[in-house]
Amino acid sequence: MERDSFECVSSLDGIYEEEIHQHLQFSSLVKSQNNVVVQENSPTSVHELLECPVCTNSMYPPIHQCHNGHTLCSTCKTRVQNRCPTCRQELGDIRCLALEKVAESLELPCKYDFLGCIEIFPYYSKLKHEAQCNFRPYNCPYAGSECPAVGDIPFLITHLRDDHKVDMHSGCTFNHRYVKSNPREVENATWMLTVFNCFGQYFCLHFEAFLLGAAPVYMAFLRFMGDETESRNYSYSLEVGANGRKLIWEGTPRSIRDSHRKVRDSHDGLIIQRNMALFFSGGERKELKLRITGRICKEQQNPDGGACIPNVCS
């Protein structure tokens, strides 16, 4: 199978070690202003009582119990075929209303406190917060293999460089050349990834070939390694062309909170139809040769109160 070649020329020279699957352990109870606050150093805490013995996740209503008082979550009740996993007695449809009521009085720290979140929430609000917490770990942005790695940005940079062998470049402008020997063979898995360090942040440049319906297309787009709110402080442009013609794309980088597939399927980037790509390649159009240039800008607030103005790294 022929391999595509991919060159990158940057215009400038160019952690967590553990997996983020930590189990929070809380202990003794202190009552404060009619709320129960979970603290450390007791053998059995209410938080531990609210932990499902099957999946070890926190239990939310309806919490089920057997005749002997053993509890488990509603999701696992169907998995254990209506048998208590502790005493093997039939579960029935008994709700543990007392434990559900106790949970209402709890205030717990976010499970991402070890990553920097200092917020404390009522038990039933905690789950909603954690789904959107700004300190929650990021998924690996590598698009080719649905990589399961998660972590903060420094961890992911090391992971991309060492495990995925991704090219790392410093600079806010770039010049890429993509060569494909047989442009009529397009697979959804044909893609490239390069990481840029610019303005003290990291950006992922994706370039790939895939089928849009039945038509082969090529697409380039930029993702910001951080949250969506911060990604809005930056913009980027991409340009491809030859033979007196060119296509230009300008946009805001999407956060890596959005999956690679979500960004690609939304067509939020520079899309080049195959016929146009072959025209840019010149020659007899038997080989794809695309040169994509681009730059990353940081938006600065106009001191006169007007719109943001770009500040391009030279």
Side-chain angles (χ1 to χ4, degrees):
M1 181 176 178
E2 295 179 332
R3 295 188 59 181
D4 304 332
S5 64
F6 186 70
E7 300 174 359
C8 171
V9 180
S10 175
S11 62
L12 296 181
D13 291 333
I15 311 197
Y16 292 101
E17 298 294 335
E18 302 173 348
E19 294 182 0
I20 313 296
H21 290 298
Q22 298 195 0
H23 175 66
L24 296 178
Q25 297 181 343
F26 301 94
S27 25
S28 69
L29 303 174
V30 176
K31 291 196 173 182
S32 172
Q33 299 179 354
N34 299 323
N35 288 321
V36 181
V37 181
V38 179
Q39 295 184 336
E40 299 181 354
N41 301 325
S42 97
T44 302
S45 71
V46 172
H47 182 271
E48 290 171 338
L49 294 176
L50 286 165
E51 182 181 277
C52 174
V54 179
C55 65
T56 71
N57 292 326
S58 297
M59 295 187 290
Y60 294 86
I63 299 175
H64 297 276
Q65 70 174 23
C66 72
H67 291 281
N68 293 323
H70 303 126
T71 57
L72 80 165
C73 71
S74 57
T75 301
C76 290
K77 182 175 182 289
T78 58
R79 296 169 55 189
V80 298
Q81 299 178 341
N82 206 37
R83 290 284 177 182
C84 174
T86 303
C87 66
R88 307 306 300 167
Q89 297 295 313
E90 185 175 349
L91 283 170
D93 292 311
I94 306 174
R95 289 271 296 274
C96 187
L97 299 178
L99 192 57
E100 292 179 8
K101 193 68 176 177
V102 169
E104 291 181 359
S105 66
L106 284 178
E107 288 187 346
L108 299 175
C110 171
K111 71 177 181 179
Y112 301 123
D113 58 352
F114 69 99
L115 291 175
C117 183
I118 61 174
E119 301 292 336
I120 296 177
F121 296 90
Y123 185 81
Y124 292 135
S125 301
K126 178 173 174 283
L127 201 62
K128 182 178 179 180
H129 160 77
E130 289 171 351
Q132 300 296 326
C133 178
N134 290 335
F135 291 92
R136 71 190 188 278
Y138 295 90
N139 294 321
C140 174
Y142 195 77
S145 58
E146 298 297 329
C147 178
V150 295
D152 64 356
I153 300 304
F155 167 81
L156 289 179
I157 291 298
T158 302
H159 167 70
L160 288 170
R161 183 191 64 219
D162 297 344
D163 298 331
H164 293 298
K165 310 303 180 185
V166 170
D167 288 337
M168 302 283 174
H169 296 273
S170 295
C172 299
T173 61
F174 45 86
N175 186 342
H176 281 198
R177 184 170 180 265
Y178 180 74
V179 178
K180 185 173 178 62
S181 58
N182 188 350
R184 299 192 180 278
E185 293 182 0
V186 178
E187 300 176 0
N188 284 328
T190 304
W191 55 268
M192 295 291 175
L193 172 64
T194 307
V195 172
F196 289 90
N197 182 356
C198 176
F199 298 112
Q201 304 289 344
Y202 289 94
F203 300 82
C204 296
L205 177 65
H206 296 264
F207 185 83
E208 62 182 271
F210 63 99
L211 293 175
L212 184 58
V217 297
Y218 303 91
M219 183 176 179
F221 56 92
L222 197 72
R223 296 165 77 197
F224 174 73
M225 296 190 70
D227 283 316
E228 180 182 359
T229 52
E230 197 171 359
S231 72
R232 297 177 188 145
N233 295 325
Y234 303 91
S235 63
Y236 74 102
S237 63
L238 298 173
E239 180 178 314
V240 60
N243 300 323
R245 310 288 194 277
K246 65 181 177 180
L247 293 175
I248 298 176
W249 167 266
E250 294 181 342
T252 301
R254 296 279 286 271
S255 166
I256 59 172
R257 294 286 189 204
D258 290 335
S259 69
H260 162 269
R261 183 176 294 275
K262 180 179 180 179
V263 178
R264 191 194 75 177
D265 291 349
S266 68
H267 306 157
D268 192 1
L270 176 66
I271 296 180
I272 313 164
Q273 303 292 335
R274 184 175 66 180
N275 288 339
M276 182 64 72
L278 292 174
F279 176 78
F280 289 151
S281 300
E284 298 179 359
R285 302 189 178 187
K286 293 182 178 180
E287 185 178 46
L288 185 73
K289 295 180 180 179
L290 291 178
R291 183 173 296 277
I292 296 181
T293 60
R295 67 181 183 179
I296 303 169
C297 304
K298 184 175 183 180
E299 303 295 326
Q300 289 188 332
Q301 188 65 42
N302 192 319
D304 296 330
C308 290
I309 56 176
N311 176 26
V312 183
C313 184
S314 59

